[in-house]
Amino acid sequence: MLRRKQQTNQPMKFSQKSGGKSATPPKTNSTQNLRAAGLRKLLFAAGIASLCASCQNPQAPTATTPGGSPGTNPAATPPAVSTPGDPNTVKIVSMLPMTGSSLGQAQTMVNGIQQALAETDSKACDGKIQIQYEVYDDATAAAGKWDPAQVTSNSNKAVADGSVVAVIGHFNSGAAKLSIPVLNQANIVMISPANTYPGLTKPGKGEAKEPNVYYPAGTRNYSRVVPADDLQGAVAGNWAKSLGVQKVYILDDQELYGKGIADVFEATAKKLGIQVLGREGIDIKASDYKALMNKIKALSPDLIYFGGITQSNAGQIIKDMRNVGMTADAVKIMGPDGIKEQALIDAAGKDAEGVYATFGGLPPQELTGVGAKWYQSYKTKYNAEPEPYAAYAYESAKVAIGAINKVCKNDRDAIREAVMATKDFNGVLGTWSFDANGDTSLTTMSGNVIKGGKWEFVSALKLE
């Protein structure tokens, strides 16, 4: 996902304010004109100096320069790196939304990472290397979800800490878009348990110049253990067809993850002969969507597909859909893995019944072999069901630990190479490898539905 997800992921647009007719300028005398001319010269000189300074010191990616949107160069001068206090101690950090309604999902991911570390007593290389773990929150209370400025701050913090050799994150693809180029210049590897936007890794699957724009150092430092949306969106289209859908209205949250997966779903639906009645990007801060839902209802769809995450007001969309009379037995609603969490059920209440969601893998209770053992150990340890991405966070941590075990020293570049070279990894998700882009070889996904106030597994899904 998700995931996801997230999110001011579009390049920021700036427009001039229009203030109506201009006021008549006041008259000025010659002295005032001379002073104004002098001031303009000073300002012009200062502007030139400022411009030259910015040429010499490129601006670091920030909330308003989001790691360089496609078509721009995200390279920036990295912060100074501290010398590790102990050369035999390395650090793994996670960057996840620990504030807002994503907390439930994120906390189970942190639990999964902690499980993996506990299995080796947070040590590697026969006890010679101590592994520390630190949780970075990429969300803020003000945003209620991941925050671009927080992501950039966290990325620079990880780079500056010489002990950090690996990052596990993000949950939202838009956040990864900002942090990847910052970490890339410092050779810090990132392993994502949840990002699914194809443009982060796959040429020709995103916007112009993606994914190379995210790798200013010229090497890859980003990988993910979850299949990307070019697969999940297509699987969702096929699943919708098998459910008897003939007419669909598509919504998205206008964010990197949501819009991207909706694009793939739309293309697949059209290819399969499903009539697309319309497509619209929503305002995720709207108080209600009743007018939109009445408009959609008049078109008599079989399905509304929502590309987005729970935190993009998905609960309100579902409520208003049902409130205008589009009942679960008449009109289905489906979304991607960005909505497959308890938070959606909490947000939509009784109206969540019958909501469909795809997931880029199998839910925890459907894992087999090593995965089934992990699932039972998680429930025993935490006395709770893990959210879907807990297993993926656990797997990400195991990959990082495995790479540290191969290198046995604080060497960011060597650990990065070891992660990216992962092959035939026998983990909780099965046996898989990273390809040259850092994508997993796993392609099995799942269809799920809310029944009795809980997410239920329907079937495994594969791209036809």
Side-chain angles (χ1 to χ4, degrees):
M1 177 229 99
L2 347 183
R3 136 109 290 11
R4 323 161 33 260
K5 321 19 174 19
Q6 344 102 97
Q7 296 149 289
T8 50
N9 305 315
Q10 304 298 325
M12 296 188 72
K13 298 179 181 178
F14 298 90
S15 59
Q16 292 181 336
K17 294 181 181 179
S18 59
K21 295 181 180 180
S22 299
T24 302
K27 293 182 179 180
T28 56
N29 58 34
S30 58
T31 303
Q32 288 173 317
N33 285 333
L34 287 171
R35 287 174 179 170
L39 179 59
R40 282 196 295 271
K41 288 179 181 179
L42 286 172
L43 290 173
F44 178 77
I48 292 295
S50 174
L51 178 61
C52 291
S54 66
C55 291
Q56 295 170 359
N57 299 293
Q59 185 181 11
T62 65
T64 53
T65 58
S69 57
T72 65
N73 186 357
T77 303
V81 181
S82 67
T83 301
D86 180 356
N88 294 320
T89 296
V90 297
K91 186 183 293 183
I92 296 172
V93 301
S94 61
M95 296 185 186
L96 300 166
M98 306 300 294
T99 300
S101 65
S102 289
L103 174 59
Q105 180 81 259
Q107 185 58 59
T108 65
M109 295 165 76
V110 168
N111 292 347
I113 295 168
Q114 291 174 331
Q115 266 188 292
L117 289 165
E119 289 175 358
T120 61
D121 194 26
S122 295
K123 291 181 172 61
C125 305
D126 297 322
K128 297 175 184 176
I129 300 293
Q130 181 74 34
I131 305 174
Q132 295 179 345
Y133 171 49
E134 190 170 344
V135 179
Y136 288 7
D137 186 356
D138 65 18
T140 61
K145 58 179 184 177
W146 78 271
D147 185 293
Q150 186 74 9
V151 169
T152 302
S153 175
N154 285 345
S155 301
N156 287 324
K157 178 182 176 183
V159 169
D161 185 345
S163 298
V164 175
V165 297
V167 171
I168 297 174
H170 294 263
F171 180 64
N172 304 92
S173 295
K177 180 180 178 180
L178 303 185
S179 63
I180 294 170
V182 177
L183 300 177
N184 180 256
Q185 295 169 92
N187 271 319
I188 299 179
V189 71
M190 174 179 276
I191 311 166
S192 176
N195 298 154
T196 53
Y197 175 62
L200 296 175
T201 57
K202 300 185 178 188
K205 297 291 185 179
E207 298 181 27
K209 298 191 178 182
E210 286 181 335
N212 289 344
V213 70
Y214 304 122
Y215 304 98
T219 55
R220 291 294 186 103
N221 67 310
Y222 174 83
S223 59
R224 49 182 160 197
V225 298
V226 61
D229 290 336
D230 57 320
L231 301 177
Q232 188 183 172
V235 162
N238 280 281
W239 191 32
K241 181 75 172 180
S242 72
L243 292 172
V245 172
Q246 297 179 343
K247 297 182 291 182
V248 62
Y249 199 99
I250 301 172
L251 302 174
D252 71 73
D253 61 5
Q254 303 190 69
E255 298 180 355
L256 190 70
Y257 161 76
K259 183 181 180 301
I261 198 164
D263 287 345
V264 178
F265 178 88
E266 181 178 8
T268 304
K270 289 178 177 177
K271 189 182 298 183
L272 295 172
I274 298 174
Q275 183 184 359
V276 177
L277 300 171
R279 169 81 182 266
E280 191 160 340
I282 66 160
D283 174 6
I284 65 172
K285 296 185 182 298
S287 59
D288 69 71
Y289 303 96
K290 290 176 184 176
L292 172 61
M293 290 303 157
N294 276 316
K295 181 179 80 170
I296 295 173
K297 181 185 177 183
L299 299 173
S300 301
D302 303 313
L303 171 73
I304 292 176
Y305 183 83
F306 173 64
I309 61 173
T310 303
Q311 291 69 37
S312 292
N313 223 357
Q316 191 63 46
I317 291 171
I318 295 166
K319 285 180 178 179
D320 289 336
M321 173 189 177
R322 300 307 186 206
N323 287 341
V324 302
M326 286 190 280
T327 58
D329 58 337
V331 185
K332 299 177 177 65
I333 181 164
M334 181 186 292
D337 50 359
I339 69 168
K340 190 189 176 297
E341 57 180 350
Q342 180 62 38
L344 181 82
I345 299 172
D346 296 339
K350 61 179 178 57
D351 294 317
E353 198 73 6
V355 172
Y356 291 87
T358 52
F359 176 67
L362 295 174
Q365 63 270 25
E366 296 298 323
L367 296 173
T368 59
V370 177
K373 291 180 181 178
W374 166 82
Y375 172 65
Q376 291 301 327
S377 68
Y378 184 99
K379 289 208 303 179
T380 299
K381 183 176 180 64
Y382 297 106
N383 193 31
E385 286 284 336
E387 289 274 7
Y389 284 105
Y392 292 79
Y394 173 90
E395 195 90 321
S396 298
K398 294 292 283 187
V399 170
I401 294 167
I404 293 168
N405 267 309
K406 290 178 182 177
V407 176
C408 289
K409 60 180 178 178
N410 185 335
D411 187 330
R412 288 176 169 177
D413 191 36
I415 290 171
R416 177 192 63 80
E417 288 184 350
V419 167
M420 302 305 290
T422 299
K423 300 294 180 188
D424 300 320
F425 189 88
N426 184 21
V428 297
L429 306 178
T431 301
W432 56 271
S433 303
F434 283 140
D435 65 14
N437 294 323
D439 282 299
T440 177
S441 59
L442 295 172
T443 58
T444 299
M445 302 187 191
S446 62
N448 306 269
V449 67
I450 297 174
K451 280 188 178 180
K454 294 181 180 180
W455 283 106
E456 283 192 7
F457 171 75
V458 177
S459 64
L461 303 173
K462 286 198 173 185
L463 192 61
E464 296 178 3

